[in-house]
Amino acid sequence: MTPSLVIENARTEAGAIVSLILANDRIAAIGPNAAAGIDTAVPRFDAAGGLLCHPFVDGHIHLDKTLIGLPFIPHIPGDTVAKRIEAEKSLRRTVSLSVEARGGALLERLAAYGTLSVRSHVDIDTEVGLKGLEAVLSLKQSHGHLVDIQTVAFPQSGVLRDPGTAGLLDAAIAAGADLVGGLDPAGIDNDVTGHLDAIFAVAGKYGVGLDIHLHDGGALGAFELRQIADRTVALGLEGKVVVSHAFCLGELGDADFGRTAAVLARSGVAIMTSAPGPVPMPPVKRLAAAGVRCFCANDNIRDAWSPFGNGDMLERVGILCDRQDLRSDEDLAAAFRLATQAPAEILGRPVGSFQAGSPADFNILPAASLAEAVAARPLDRTVFRGGAIIARGGRLIV
């Protein structure tokens, strides 16, 4: 392969200083002496000892919900999930800027911060139909050169309480959505069995995975988690199901936690946490010790659910560490991987070590270790996509 770029003085996670030879969108060689003998006419980039690391993966966002690109809109209070849904639907009817414009602006921001893969939940209900999905699918075409996009057909208004939604979920998968979503089988639909029957039926029909929002707490939430895990195994979907939020895991006693974690581990059901505000959250270190796969994501980024969020996964990792009292270098490095390797694997896009033949997609951060990167959260990062620099210092340059 003909070299297209030489990157010098990059630091590996192990602390070694290496050079990388890129051949268009692939790494052709990497090592301390990889640049020896390369023609001096080949363009060079000095990483200046910066940390070479995998790109961020945001495994739970809402491209159709974000208000990025609009003037600031005051937050509408709501103290229950049901009230928040109604407030959001009311706001949705008044927003003039298209999903394509708002979602595109968010994707550009994510790419500028070094996130190159996302999973976006998209509202599917009898009011909006498949319009939001069609808009997000169009973003795959317009912004796929920056960010890889997966989509989840998400019944934000419930399935049973919004008759016709189950059929729309089926239509959404047929139209190109990648996964089936779900929402609080008890808290929203008041029918755990009926809700899970409906969404697992669509997943089973098409052989796709599921990503289910679960806010229901305590013993009820744990029961729902175990029901989801049992159905996952019954349909042979091990490794293809995620439960997002799962606040209940932060509320359980030792016995119920252990029982539930064991079932999740056996079924391969993964847990997403956005390290949200003053609510319980899944204890990621304890879950990992039990063999449960976990990852971190941004979730709501300046939308009707929250006025906060800037899209920076490194900042989100820092929030998670602060909330869960993760302080040691080992814990900070593990938390960093909750935003890179872990979600990449769960989204079906596993990344191994950097080596010849690997995609030339990575970030270079001004830090000596993953722990320092999490602690300092530097914005002065360089983002490579397909072997080319697409962003520096938090700004796109393409």
Side-chain angles (χ1 to χ4, degrees):
M1 292 187 287
T2 303
S4 56
L5 180 67
V6 175
I7 299 174
E8 299 175 307
N9 302 314
R11 185 185 305 273
T12 68
E13 290 183 22
I17 300 297
V18 299
S19 295
L20 294 88
I21 312 304
L22 306 188
N24 299 317
D25 64 349
R26 295 282 159 176
I27 296 173
I30 180 172
N33 302 308
I38 299 296
D39 191 327
T40 55
V42 176
R44 306 211 167 207
F45 175 82
D46 186 359
L51 185 66
L52 172 69
C53 51
H54 290 290
F56 297 113
V57 176
D58 196 334
H60 186 123
I61 60 172
H62 295 265
L63 289 171
D64 60 327
K65 296 179 184 290
T66 187
L67 302 175
I68 296 288
L70 289 167
F72 184 77
I73 296 176
H75 184 64
I76 304 171
D79 57 0
T80 67
V81 173
K83 289 179 181 178
R84 293 257 27 92
I85 291 170
E86 292 309 310
E88 178 186 44
K89 290 173 75 172
S90 176
L91 177 61
R92 186 175 71 188
R93 299 180 188 114
T94 68
V95 172
S96 58
L97 195 61
S98 69
V99 168
E100 290 90 341
R102 292 179 283 114
L106 177 53
L107 286 168
E108 290 165 13
R109 177 175 293 195
L110 295 173
Y113 289 142
T115 292
L116 301 184
S117 295
V118 302
R119 173 179 286 179
S120 176
H121 296 252
V122 184
D123 283 9
I124 304 292
D125 61 38
T126 56
E127 179 179 299
V128 74
L130 302 185
K131 292 178 183 177
L133 174 65
E134 291 164 356
V136 173
L137 289 177
S138 76
L139 289 171
K140 281 190 173 186
Q141 302 301 315
S142 61
H143 287 71
H145 65 293
L146 295 176
V147 181
D148 295 323
I149 304 170
Q150 279 188 1
T151 54
V152 182
F154 174 43
Q156 176 71 89
S157 298
V159 177
L160 307 181
R161 73 194 291 262
D162 186 18
T165 297
L168 286 171
L169 294 178
D170 187 299
I173 300 300
D178 298 298
L179 298 98
V180 181
L183 172 68
D184 295 346
I188 294 298
D189 270 345
N190 197 31
D191 185 345
V192 174
T193 298
H195 182 97
L196 295 181
D197 280 349
I199 63 174
F200 272 90
V202 178
K205 176 180 177 180
Y206 290 96
V208 299
L210 300 98
D211 195 326
I212 303 167
H213 286 60
L214 183 65
H215 308 93
D216 293 338
L220 172 60
F223 168 76
E224 291 173 281
L225 281 176
R226 295 191 294 270
Q227 289 290 303
I228 291 167
D230 288 345
R231 289 168 181 264
T232 297
V233 173
L235 280 180
L237 294 175
E238 293 95 330
K240 298 177 67 175
V241 176
V242 172
V243 176
S244 292
H245 305 308
F247 299 149
C248 63
L249 289 169
E251 302 175 295
L252 303 178
D254 288 346
D256 210 8
F257 178 89
R259 174 188 174 199
T260 304
V263 172
L264 293 173
R266 285 196 300 271
S267 64
V269 172
I271 299 296
M272 185 290 297
T273 183
S274 60
V279 295
M281 62 179 290
V284 295
K285 190 173 179 180
R286 192 176 175 195
L287 285 166
V292 180
R293 299 186 304 161
C294 300
F295 66 101
C296 179
N298 270 303
D299 191 16
N300 303 106
I301 302 172
R302 251 199 68 192
D303 60 18
W305 291 75
S306 174
F308 303 123
N310 63 6
D312 185 355
M313 280 301 301
L314 192 52
E315 179 174 293
R316 183 58 49 183
V317 170
I319 293 170
L320 182 147
C321 290
D322 206 19
R323 282 218 59 201
Q324 300 213 357
D325 196 28
L326 303 177
R327 310 288 174 185
S328 71
D329 279 11
E330 180 182 8
D331 284 347
L332 297 186
F336 187 95
R337 296 186 184 102
L338 293 179
T340 52
Q341 288 103 313
E345 180 178 341
I346 290 164
L347 267 61
R349 297 166 177 166
V351 292
S353 59
F354 291 109
Q355 58 187 343
S358 297
D361 297 336
F362 47 81
N363 294 327
I364 295 179
L365 308 180
S369 66
L370 294 180
E372 182 184 356
V374 174
R377 306 174 207 176
L379 185 59
D380 185 19
R381 58 194 77 163
T382 305
V383 183
F384 286 80
R385 168 77 159 169
I389 297 174
I390 65 165
R392 299 196 71 176
R395 293 183 179 274
L396 283 181
I397 60 174
V398 294

